[in-house]
Amino acid sequence: MAETTPVEPSDAPKMERWGTRLGVILAVMGSAVGLGNFLRFPGKAAQYEGGAFMVPYFVALLVLGIPLAWAEWAMGRFGGCKGYNSTPGIYRTLWRKNPLAPYCGVLGLLVPVVIYMYYVFIEGWCLAYAWYMLTGQLTLGKDAAEYGKFFDNFIGSGSNGLLVAQHGTLAPAVIFLLICFVLNFALIFRGISKGIEKFCLIAMPMLVVCAIIVLIRVLTLGTPDPSRPDLNVLNGLGYLWNAHTTNKTFLESLANGQMWLEATGQIFFSLSVGFGVIITYSSYLRRDDDIALSSLTSCAGNEFCEVALGGMITVPAAFVFLGAAGIAGKGTFGLGFVTLPMVFEMMPLGRFVGFLFFFLLFLAAVTSSLSMLQPAIALLEEGLGIGRKASVALLGFITLIGSLFVVYFSKGLIALDTMDFWVGTVGIFILAFFQVILFGWVMGLRTGVEEINRGGTIRVPYFVGLVLKFVAPLYLGGVLVTFLYQSFTAKEGNYFLTLRDSRDAQLTVAFIVIVAILFLLLIGQSVKRWQKRELMAEESP
Ligand code: PFF
């Protein structure tokens, strides 16, 4: 194994810790359960013929998702025991021989922080739609175009500059964004156990209860329109879960490369694996706290929310009222913010159910966005030695500029889309690849698997290590290369062409690069500080 730092940072602030085991499981689960579960997953599954999509989805879950989550938990707890909570600090303890290791941690900061910048905007939409449902402002009749217009207007997708509404007041989307912003930072300011853990302990059960109520409503819809007996709940479930369509066999459906890529990406996005967030969360564990079962429990909880709740609400509900035509080609946002509000309008008790649905989306989003902020807060605190107030203020400033950037470049959601592709998709694959190498090849298999199993309530078998060392890098590398190739050559949704042609996309990438440079500078400063501290520790008897 790589040599590791023998010294605990002596002037580090007192290490924070999770309060309870349930707390950390729910916090990691909270990070995982988010918009991805209730909007992104059903959208993708419907796009790829449901049942067939589940094959690559489960392969990726078993071969990459669950093993990588174990690896992240183990590396995080390892770094935490050495006194580090940020990815640069943790990578440095794991890979002492490589002076560039802490700089590789830049992705572990950049990815979650940039995702936060647009994720919190969508979080605001959920809160707004919950409020609009409750107050009846989304009662727009049965014409989908009306809902589309409302949504486009709300997010300002027609032209750039969504900040100020007509009468000089802030646009509603910006007001809801700011509310979410303040909530996130207030919770982060309270810290790991008093802020994040406490909130997740309440929000997670609450969102599951809301989801179950909504699910019961959807599953009891029967056949709302007797003149269309085919539009019933069972067919709605079948639309999502049947393994093949009438004109393709199951195997033909499976032979779709793009589907394998998307299913793998969905597993990462959904489990929050490969983002640098689990590694930070688990660094607040104690040396002998269980990780083997805790990690598995969070993954299982996420899958329950995604497949059993998310998978059975959105698409069947839309099918029952609108049929397949109402779902196909709608995309994640179209399904969630255009189709569903209309479906709720048509549903008995719909306004209340709609409120519950958007409120649970909002709760799920908050528990996720909190986890995106913690890695950078950890670096600011331990690398620059600044206190909680200053680090929260600094990160608040950086992310606010980013979010307002996303809001300003609202035309066609170009900034949001560009960030999501370059950071939220490409960035995750690269970071996940790096972490697999770090675990399997640098930390070493035996040490790594022992680290996973120390204090474990269950034993993770050795072959999981072998999968992490050999199968995962090949799988990930293959997926990344194919993905980039397909994106590069695609006729539609080609982000390389968008980047060439759109000034707004170029500005967005320039913005991401500036944030990356800023983080690299911060890491440089932190490394100097850590080196000085270690020297002092060696000199003092
Ligand atoms: N896992 C979250 C979801 O499914 O919505 C998304 C997410 C959480 C992305 C945390 C990134 C992250 F750091």
Side-chain angles (χ1 to χ4, degrees):
M1 201 195 97
E3 329 150 31
T4 48
T5 353
V7 280
E8 292 262 338
S10 50
D11 60 343
K14 207 172 155 293
M15 291 280 289
E16 277 196 276
R17 297 276 175 226
W18 294 105
T20 60
R21 185 168 166 197
L22 180 66
V24 61
I25 292 175
L26 286 186
V28 175
M29 205 176 127
S31 169
V33 176
L35 302 170
N37 297 57
F38 295 95
L39 292 180
R40 202 173 188 262
F41 169 75
K44 296 238 175 279
Q47 184 186 345
Y48 290 106
E49 304 162 26
F53 182 80
M54 295 316 285
V55 175
Y57 179 85
F58 272 112
V59 171
L61 174 70
L62 296 177
V63 176
L64 288 175
I66 294 177
L68 209 80
W70 269 324
E72 275 202 35
W73 276 72
M75 292 190 290
R77 187 185 61 178
F78 180 89
C81 293
K82 305 280 175 209
Y84 295 93
N85 302 110
S86 66
T87 40
I90 295 172
Y91 292 174
R92 185 167 170 268
T93 49
L94 283 166
W95 203 351
R96 292 291 290 170
K97 286 193 189 113
N98 184 350
L100 291 181
Y103 296 93
C104 297
V106 71
L107 271 184
L109 304 166
L110 186 72
V111 169
V113 162
V114 171
I115 293 181
Y116 175 85
M117 290 171 184
Y118 62 82
Y119 200 89
V120 70
F121 186 34
I122 308 171
E123 194 170 304
W125 306 351
C126 301
L127 182 62
Y129 269 52
W131 174 250
Y132 292 156
M133 278 283 163
L134 202 63
T135 52
Q137 292 178 59
L138 266 167
T139 316
L140 304 174
K142 291 187 179 172
D143 183 1
E146 289 301 312
Y147 292 87
K149 246 192 264 162
F150 183 94
F151 180 58
D152 287 345
N153 214 0
F154 176 71
I155 60 168
S157 72
S159 60
N160 278 345
L162 170 87
L163 276 179
V164 179
Q166 286 114 359
H167 308 296
T169 52
L170 284 178
V174 178
I175 296 176
F176 283 102
L177 163 76
L178 292 178
I179 296 174
C180 293
F181 225 93
V182 171
L183 175 67
N184 273 286
F185 277 92
L187 289 168
I188 284 289
F189 181 69
R190 292 179 62 89
I192 289 288
S193 68
K194 288 205 196 106
I196 300 177
E197 182 171 348
K198 268 220 174 104
F199 183 77
C200 290
L201 275 169
I202 301 168
M204 289 310 289
M206 203 154 137
L207 85 82
V208 172
V209 170
C210 291
I212 289 178
I213 299 175
V214 178
L215 181 66
I216 292 175
R217 172 67 286 199
V218 171
L219 293 184
T220 51
L221 280 171
T223 312
D225 182 358
S227 66
R228 294 286 311 270
D230 54 319
L231 298 189
N232 58 49
V233 173
L234 278 185
N235 282 350
L237 291 171
Y239 178 77
L240 193 63
W241 298 114
N242 282 342
H244 58 89
T245 55
T246 33
N247 49 8
K248 267 193 204 156
T249 64
F250 180 52
L251 279 183
E252 275 166 358
S253 299
L254 271 191
N256 178 345
Q258 183 72 21
M259 176 171 83
W260 284 80
L261 301 180
E262 298 254 16
T264 311
Q266 175 60 23
I267 281 296
F268 281 120
F269 190 87
S270 182
L271 290 178
S272 298
V273 157
F275 288 93
V277 302
I278 293 187
I279 211 166
T280 294
Y281 267 11
S282 57
S283 71
Y284 296 101
L285 287 168
R286 289 175 190 80
R287 198 176 169 277
D288 290 315
D289 281 347
D290 160 85
I291 54 180
L293 185 59
S294 304
S295 168
L296 199 59
T297 312
S298 322
C299 291
N302 179 65
E303 288 315 302
F304 171 73
C305 290
E306 179 145 303
V307 180
L309 299 179
M312 297 220 279
I313 292 175
T314 336
V315 171
F319 183 91
V320 161
F321 290 99
L322 307 171
I327 303 168
K330 286 287 177 290
T332 307
F333 294 149
L335 190 63
F337 295 96
V338 178
T339 308
L340 280 184
M342 184 167 82
V343 165
F344 290 131
E345 184 59 29
M346 298 158 111
M347 183 186 285
L349 287 179
R351 243 171 76 182
F352 178 64
V353 177
F355 160 73
L356 281 184
F357 178 75
F358 285 109
F359 185 65
L360 85 85
L361 276 190
F362 164 71
L363 289 178
V366 178
T367 55
S368 295
S369 55
L370 284 176
S371 71
M372 300 170 196
L373 295 172
Q374 192 56 35
I377 290 285
L379 179 78
L380 291 172
E381 284 185 349
E382 77 192 17
L384 299 186
I386 58 178
R388 173 63 51 86
K389 248 195 205 143
S391 53
V392 165
L394 194 59
L395 187 65
F397 180 68
I398 298 172
T399 46
L400 187 62
I401 293 181
S403 291
L404 292 181
F405 185 97
V406 173
V407 171
Y408 183 82
F409 289 103
S410 55
K411 187 174 176 195
L413 290 180
I414 183 87
L416 190 157
D417 255 9
T418 308
M419 286 182 178
D420 188 45
F421 178 78
W422 290 106
V423 178
T425 314
V426 179
I428 297 172
F429 276 118
I430 299 176
L431 183 56
F433 185 78
F434 176 78
Q435 293 195 152
V436 164
I437 299 291
L438 199 57
F439 183 86
W441 295 86
V442 177
M443 196 172 180
L445 258 200
R446 201 158 290 284
T447 326
V449 177
E450 267 167 27
E451 185 65 32
I452 296 177
N453 280 326
R454 182 155 38 78
T457 317
I458 54 168
R459 266 203 89 68
V460 171
Y462 185 71
F463 81 83
V464 170
L466 293 175
V467 170
L468 275 165
K469 183 162 183 162
F470 298 106
V471 184
L474 280 178
Y475 192 147
L476 261 176
V479 166
L480 179 62
V481 171
T482 324
F483 178 66
L484 285 177
Y485 175 76
Q486 291 205 347
S487 307
F488 194 66
T489 50
K491 292 223 168 47
E492 255 176 68
N494 183 328
Y495 285 86
F496 295 91
L497 287 184
T498 315
L499 192 57
R500 193 192 66 189
D501 300 335
S502 156
R503 193 189 60 106
D504 293 355
Q506 290 161 5
L507 279 176
T508 310
V509 170
F511 179 79
I512 297 170
V513 172
I514 292 173
V515 179
I517 294 174
L518 186 72
F519 278 130
L520 282 171
L521 292 174
L522 285 177
I523 295 173
Q525 255 334 89
S526 310
V527 170
K528 271 194 210 143
R529 196 162 171 272
W530 291 330
Q531 281 168 341
K532 205 160 108 199
R533 196 168 52 202
E534 283 156 15
L535 263 179
M536 273 162 54
E538 270 166 28
E539 278 164 12
S540 62

